[in-house]
């Protein structure tokens, strides 16, 4: 039986190359541009409960939510964080 991917999951539930590339990009952000770890996790929790999340992407703006959440000066296009 084929395994179905969760459409509501963030990319960290996927061990593929895309996840690795995004993590490398986040790690390359200068510390002063990065959201703190606690804020980053809080933002992702909000995204995980959002109806606009699909396969790690925001259907509202098309971003990968882990990338947007990692940048200190970014915000949710729906104003949720």
């Amino acid at each position: 039986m084929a395994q179905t991917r969760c459409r509501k999951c963030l990319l960290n539930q996927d061990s593929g190359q895309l996840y690795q590339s995004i993590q490398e990009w986040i790690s390359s952000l200068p510390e002063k541009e990065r959201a703190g770890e606690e804020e980053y996790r809080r933002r992702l929790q909000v995204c995980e409960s959002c109806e606009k999340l699909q396969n790690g992407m925001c259907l509202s703006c098309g971003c990968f939510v882990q990338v947007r959440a990692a940048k200190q000066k970014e915000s949710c296009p729906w104003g949720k964080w």
Side-chain angles (χ1 to χ4, degrees), residues 9-28:
C9 289
L10 296 172
L11 291 175
N12 60 343
Q13 281 113 4
D14 177 8
S15 60
Q17 182 60 40
L18 180 58
Y19 172 71
Q20 295 301 321
S21 295
I22 286 175
Q23 290 307 301
E24 288 171 13
W25 185 88
I26 290 170
S27 295
S28 74

Side-chain angles (χ1 to χ4, degrees), residues 2 4 7-9 11 14 17 22 25 34-36 38 40 43 45-47 51-52 56 69 72 75-76 78 80-81:
T4 304
R7 295 166 63 88
K8 291 289 293 167
C9 289
L11 291 175
D14 177 8
Q17 182 60 40
I22 286 175
W25 185 88
R34 248 188 267 170
E38 190 174 315
Y40 176 67
R43 291 174 176 187
Q45 279 185 315
V46 171
C47 291
E51 67 281 356
K52 298 292 184 186
Q72 185 180 39
S75 61
C76 168
W78 287 91
K80 294 183 179 187
W81 51 260

